[in-house]
Structures are given as structure tokens and as C-alpha cells.
Amino acid sequence: MGKVLAGLSGVLAIAPYIALVKIGELLLQAYTTDTAVDSDAVWRYVFLLINTFAVRLFVIGLALSVTHFADVKISTLIREMTLHRLSHAPLGWFSSTNAGRIRKAVHDDIAQIHTLIAHQPVDVIQAIITPLALVGFAFTIDWRLGILAVAAIPIYLGVTARMMRDMGEKTVEMDLHLTRVSATMVEFFTGISVVKAFGTVGKAHKRYQDAADGFSQFYEAWVTPMLRGSSLAGASIAIPVLLAINLGGGSLMVASGWVSPIDVLATTLIALMVPSSIEVLAGMVWAYQLAGAAALRVTQALETPVLPQSDSVQNPQGNRVVFDAVSFAYGETVAARDVSFTLEENTVTALVGPSGSGKSTIAMLLARFNDPDSGRITIGGVDIASMPTHQLYRQVAFVLQDPQLCRMSVRDNIALGRPDASFEQVVAAARKAQIYEAIAALPQGFDTIVGQETNFSSGQAQRIAIARALLIDAPILILDEATAFADPESEAEIQNALSLLVEGRTVLVIAHRPESIAGVDRIIILDQGEVSACGRHEDLLDHPLYRKLWASRQRLTPSDVNEENS
Ligand SMILES: Nc1ncnc2c1ncn2[C@@H]1O[C@H](COP(=O)(O)OP(=O)(O)OP(=O)(O)O)[C@@H](O)[C@H]1O
């Protein structure tokens, strides 16, 4: 409908020229016959001019309204589909995915598609129909004047077509460069505090600098030859050139008695109008290319892998967790290889191993951050992949290294996993997590907005995360041990909060410091994604890797270390 209305407005564009020719003919006739001008007829054409102008404005407005309504509907739909898709993506996907890429797809790219839906149908149809209608009218005035009116167009089109030859590929390439610049900028700003603290701004800045340099080199190489072509194309449709062709040629035709001066005037004006319509079209082609590339990226976001979801609530028998021959790889990097172990109910099990041995990956498979490539994980005999997400997260809670407080009230932050919890339950969780006093001391208490009215220290944020997990009251808990000791000042309070949290639960601890897990029920040593040994601290003291991990923390006695080295 938008296109039909735009076509109609394009046809109406010839009305001023018809009025011009008719009024000109009336004036010329009065002049040559030395009679009075037929002013009624002149006014009729003036009214025709005003009316068609008003109708044209109305039709364009209507066409744009139709396309803008369509755009709002389609953009909303695409946003909903993208967000729905992203909300079902494995949690692990977010950490491995470039923040800049997601932001660009969800925000910028969907906005860019606006051009494609809201403006392109109207502008392109108008830009095609208007010059065609004008040129058609010029030919109806006189075919020779019609030819003069379009004489410069083939040169303009030829040069422009040459310039635009590999526009599609180049636009995609430009977009890749821009995405890289955007992603490195997000990376740079996200880590700016750490980078500054360690005085390595230059290094971190380099990735962004390289991306920006890459873009400017590509852009210069692409645009420089285009500028020459663009000057030549512009010169071929410059006003002096068009006036010389149309007025020069037209004057010769008037002298030969083929056409009247009014005809020449009307077709000259048409000749001046046609290139600007074509330029609008060329501009639209460019915008169309950009919007096309944006649409491609949105399509890719819509193809984000999703975790299969089950709707049928399962009935696990207890909370025994079994990892059964679980393997998982990030692309080529194998992070878990044929891993099997059991977490007995109400025991604390620690995963230890060198950095990169797969501790976090394996632990987070239990929270379905990703699904195993092979093998399965069961809770009470039920495969976690067959549990609905809400059921799984009632069974499994986690306290991670970065507690991630949201910009909402402290109360809502604590009740994030259980929005139906009463205020008394939230307060009780805060008390158990040893964070009640700090919250109560805030001017708005539990209604204080985090990140706006207050900010918590990392130790306090960790205790809020513990309160959150306490409130969820899940029987299984994944705990990143780094969390517990990140803030030495509040270590005692965190220890107390944690001992309350782990009580009576099945706990899997991602242990970064072997000395802190000496009292746990079971220790699993991981090496390059494989289970190397399991047992209690005392049982494992002879294990070379375990001894090495301890030695690296200088907790083994010198004699132990010597023994190991001998
Ligand atoms: N999101 C990811 N994308 C690609 N590879 C990853 C990702 N996360 C981890 N890896 C790789 O998987 C392997 C296991 O990493 P993981 O973080 O699970 O080890 P870890 O033992 O927890 O390490 P650390 O003690 O340093 O936290 C490593 O080789 C790591 O480089």
C-alpha cells in the first residue's frame, strides 16, 4: 500500500510542469495575438497546481504513515524474537560472545532496518516514478526536447555504475571493520579500571587502535577512487552543463520553429529535476546496502544456539548428582573429557586443578550454562536437560565470582531468584548472610536502589549473592570459592555466611586455593579436562598434581616439597 501511494505521488509530481506549460501557453498566446490574458484559465491552472501539491503532500504523508506503522510492528516483532532467542541461549554463550556484537545486533541493527521498512519503499518508488513521469511528460511535449532532457543521464549512470560495482561486498567489509572497532571499544571500556590500575593502558588500547587503523586504511583505499568517479558523475549533471545542453539545443529548435520557448523552459526544468531524483535513488541504494548488512546480522542473532527446553516437570528422587561420562568443548578447546563423578547428598565436593583444567566449565555444566557434547548429568536420577529451567534453578543455585547486582532495590536483588518471597524472608536471608546491618544502615534500607543510591563493596556484594542463594533455598549449590575470599576484610563474615549456606546441601565448590578446602568431604583433581583423582585431602597428599598445587601455595612443609622433588 505504501508503494502504491508513493507511486501515485510520483505521478502527481508532473502537475507543476503541466500547469507551467499551460499557463505559459496562455501568456504566450495573449502576447503574440496582442489580446488580454484569459485570467480565469490561468487561475484554474494555479488552483490545479495548489490542489495537486496538497494532494501530493497528503498521499506522501499517508504512504509514510503506512510504512512507519509497519516498521514499528516489524521492529517490535524482531526485537521480541531476538530477545526471546537470546533468553534461551545457553548462559555460557553470553560469556563467549562479544558484547559489542550483541549490542550492535539488538540495538543499532534493528534501528538500521528502520530505513529498509519505513523509508525505502516510499523513497525508492518515488525516486523511480517521479523522473519517469517527468521524462514521459517531456517526451509528450516534444520527443526531441525529451531526448535533450535525458542526454546527460547515460554518462552519469555509466560512471556511477562503475563506482558501485562491488558496493555490496565493500559494505559488508566496512561493517565488519566497524563491528570490530565497536567490540574492541566495549572491551577497552569494560576493563578500563583494571587496566588503569596496572598501568597497561597502552597495551589494552592497542587492540582498539589496531581495529580503528584497520578501518581507516580500508576506508581510504575504498573511498579515494570513488571520489574521482563521483566528481566526474557530478560534473556530467551539473546545472551549467544541463542548462547548456537544454537551453542551447532548445534555442536551436525554437529558431527552427519546431517548439515554443515555453516548451523549452518546461523540459529544461525537468532536465534539472531528473538527476536529483536519481541521486536520491543512489543514496537509497547505499542505505539499502547498510540496512541489508544489518538485517543479515539480526538474522545471525536470531540463529543463536538455544538450549532445548522441556515443559514437563520431573520428579527427581533426592539430590544425588551424577556426572556420567561428560565431555564438552568450546569449539576446538576441549574443557571436559569423559568426566564421571558423583556428588552424594549433603556433602561438599571440591574441584581442584591448575588454571584452565576445566573446573568452572565442569561445575557450570550442572547449572546448564552449556549442555554436554556427550554424556549426561543427573539429579536424583533425572537428566537435567529434561528438566524445565525453572525447576532446575529451584534445585541448583550458584554463587559466582562476580556477584552481578542489578540496578534495582536491594530487596529485589536478594529476591531475584524468588520474586514471591515475603519481606520477612528477604530480611531473614540477609541476616543469615551477615549483610543485614549494612543494608539497614542505608537511608532507604532494603528499598535502596543498587548502583543509583548506593554501591556495595565486593565483600558486601558477595554476601548479597549469598543471601540470594539462601532465599532460593536450593538443595544443590555451586560455589566459586574465589568469591569467598576476594575481600579479606570481610572474610570472617563471609565464612560465617557460607557455613550457614552450605549446611544441609549438596555442594560443589570450584576451588582456586587448595588450602581452603582441606575439610571438605571429597576432592576431585582435574587435569586438562579429565578427572585425575578423587578422595579426601589425606588420601590425595601423595598425588603428584595435588602436591604440586599445594607446593605452589607454599603450604607444604619444605620436607614435603623435597620429598616430592626427589
Ligand atoms: N567461554 C570460553 N570460550 C572458549 N574457551 C573457553 C571458555 N571458557 C573457558 N575456556 C577454555 O576451556 C578450558 C577450561 O577453562 P575453565 O575456565 O573451565 O578452567 P578453570 O580450571 O576453571 O580455570 P581457572 O582456574 O583459571 O578459572 C581452558 O582451556 C579455557 O581456555
Side-chain angles (χ1 to χ4, degrees):
M1 170 137 176
K3 285 184 178 177
V4 172
L5 291 169
L8 181 63
S9 106
V11 174
L12 288 175
I14 60 172
Y17 299 89
I18 298 176
L20 173 79
V21 171
K22 294 297 175 194
I23 294 171
E25 279 171 357
L26 287 171
L27 295 177
L28 198 63
Q29 193 187 21
Y31 178 74
T32 48
T33 56
D34 203 15
T35 52
V37 177
D38 181 354
S39 54
D40 285 349
V42 170
W43 276 113
R44 265 201 308 279
Y45 286 118
V46 171
F47 280 128
L48 171 81
L49 192 65
I50 293 169
N51 287 338
T52 46
F53 181 68
V55 170
R56 191 167 179 231
L57 277 187
F58 175 74
V59 170
I60 292 177
L62 198 59
L64 284 174
S65 306
V66 169
T67 53
H68 274 77
F69 273 125
D71 173 58
V72 170
K73 269 201 151 175
I74 294 173
S75 303
T76 310
L77 194 68
I78 297 177
R79 272 206 176 93
E80 280 173 7
M81 283 165 65
T82 313
L83 291 179
H84 179 261
R85 189 85 187 184
L86 290 180
S87 68
H88 286 89
L91 291 175
W93 180 84
F94 291 95
S95 56
S96 63
T97 308
N98 211 310
R101 199 162 76 79
I102 298 178
R103 189 195 58 79
K104 194 162 166 47
V106 174
H107 187 259
D108 301 357
D109 290 345
I110 294 177
Q112 183 106 57
I113 296 173
H114 169 82
T115 314
L116 204 63
I117 304 167
H119 293 278
Q120 194 244 354
V122 175
D123 293 353
V124 168
I125 293 291
Q126 274 209 102
I128 292 171
I129 299 290
T130 306
L132 282 181
L134 290 177
V135 169
F137 180 59
F139 273 89
T140 64
I141 294 173
D142 185 275
W143 65 270
R144 287 155 295 208
L145 286 178
I147 290 175
L148 280 187
V150 294
I153 300 302
I155 303 170
Y156 174 81
L157 288 182
V159 176
T160 309
R162 228 182 114 74
M163 268 179 354
M164 299 271 181
R165 247 178 337 188
D166 34 36
M167 196 73 164
E169 291 155 33
K170 291 288 184 192
T171 313
V172 172
E173 207 177 323
M174 184 184 81
D175 256 42
L176 280 177
H177 277 284
L178 284 175
T179 307
R180 214 167 291 148
V181 171
S182 163
T184 49
M185 192 190 279
V186 169
E187 244 175 56
F188 178 58
F189 281 108
T190 310
I192 190 80
S193 50
V194 179
V195 163
K196 273 193 145 181
F198 286 92
T200 51
V201 174
K203 250 193 222 163
H205 185 235
K206 192 169 177 318
R207 275 172 60 76
Y208 168 64
Q209 185 79 50
D210 288 349
D213 286 350
F215 171 67
S216 72
Q217 278 160 17
F218 156 80
Y219 200 66
E220 193 183 340
W222 178 30
V223 165
T224 310
M226 282 221 309
L227 285 177
R228 281 194 290 273
S230 158
S231 313
L232 186 60
S236 68
I237 52 161
I239 291 176
V241 174
L242 295 176
L243 287 179
I245 296 173
N246 286 274
L247 290 182
S251 306
L252 293 177
M253 290 187 201
V254 172
S256 310
W258 296 344
V259 292
S260 76
I262 295 297
D263 295 339
V264 174
L265 194 60
T267 55
T268 303
L269 286 176
I270 288 174
L272 294 177
M273 280 297 296
V274 172
S276 62
S277 301
I278 294 175
E279 273 180 339
V280 169
L281 199 58
M284 284 308 296
V285 170
W286 168 244
Y288 183 73
Q289 302 272 4
L290 288 180
L296 193 72
R297 279 190 302 271
V298 171
T299 314
Q300 284 165 352
L302 284 172
E303 282 164 2
T304 304
V306 291
L307 282 182
Q309 299 291 326
S310 159
D311 290 331
S312 57
V313 174
Q314 304 292 315
N315 189 17
Q317 301 302 307
N319 298 306
R320 192 166 178 263
V321 176
V322 178
F323 275 65
D324 182 10
V326 168
S327 295
F328 178 79
Y330 298 98
E332 298 292 300
T333 312
V334 178
R337 204 188 302 266
D338 203 20
V339 170
S340 295
F341 60 80
T342 302
L343 309 181
E344 296 298 343
E345 273 189 54
N346 301 341
T347 59
V348 179
T349 305
L351 291 175
V352 300
S355 179
S357 56
K359 302 182 291 291
S360 307
T361 304
I362 290 168
M364 297 325 292
L365 286 175
L366 175 56
R368 271 197 102 189
F369 270 48
N370 287 296
D371 273 348
D373 297 332
S374 63
R376 59 182 211 139
I377 302 167
T378 58
I379 295 176
V382 173
D383 190 336
I384 60 168
S386 66
M387 279 186 191
T389 317
H390 63 88
Q391 186 185 13
L392 178 66
Y393 293 129
R394 277 294 167 99
Q395 296 285 119
V396 181
F398 39 88
V399 180
L400 303 181
Q401 283 192 29
D402 178 4
Q404 293 280 355
L405 299 188
C406 308
R407 203 181 179 79
M408 49 171 77
S409 70
V410 180
R411 177 185 172 166
D412 290 345
N413 260 293
I414 294 177
L416 198 65
R418 266 199 58 197
D420 57 328
S422 70
F423 183 58
E424 288 67 34
Q425 288 171 316
V426 171
V427 170
R431 279 190 197 282
K432 269 191 176 178
Q434 321 271 310
I435 190 66
Y436 176 78
E437 313 293 329
I439 300 170
L442 294 169
Q444 308 294 326
F446 281 78
D447 292 326
T448 311
I449 307 291
V450 178
Q452 186 175 308
E453 294 168 343
T454 190
N455 275 310
F456 288 105
S457 74
S458 66
Q460 289 170 330
Q462 284 155 17
R463 277 175 282 152
I464 288 182
I466 293 172
R468 213 182 250 171
L470 276 163
L471 195 59
I472 294 172
D473 199 21
I476 299 164
L477 177 71
I478 303 167
L479 179 65
D480 195 326
E481 179 249 16
T483 314
F485 305 100
D487 183 355
E489 278 176 28
S490 45
E491 183 167 335
E493 282 150 323
I494 295 171
Q495 285 275 29
N496 288 340
L498 280 174
S499 50
L500 280 173
L501 179 62
V502 300
E503 220 174 70
R505 296 180 212 277
T506 307
V507 183
L508 183 61
V509 183
I510 305 166
H512 297 268
R513 306 192 318 169
E515 66 269 38
S516 62
I517 41 88
V520 303
D521 299 303
R522 197 145 173 262
I523 297 164
I524 296 171
I525 305 176
L526 293 171
D527 189 14
Q528 297 180 22
E530 286 181 80
V531 175
S532 177
C534 306
R536 293 185 68 87
H537 171 67
E538 305 76 49
D539 310 330
L540 295 169
L541 276 173
D542 285 338
H543 190 280
L545 184 55
Y546 193 61
R547 288 167 64 84
K548 202 167 156 195
L549 286 166
W550 273 70
S552 69
R553 296 287 170 171
Q554 299 176 330
R555 285 297 176 107
L556 283 182
T557 60
S559 61
D560 285 338
V561 178
N562 291 339
E563 213 177 286
E564 184 194 345
N565 293 340
S566 64

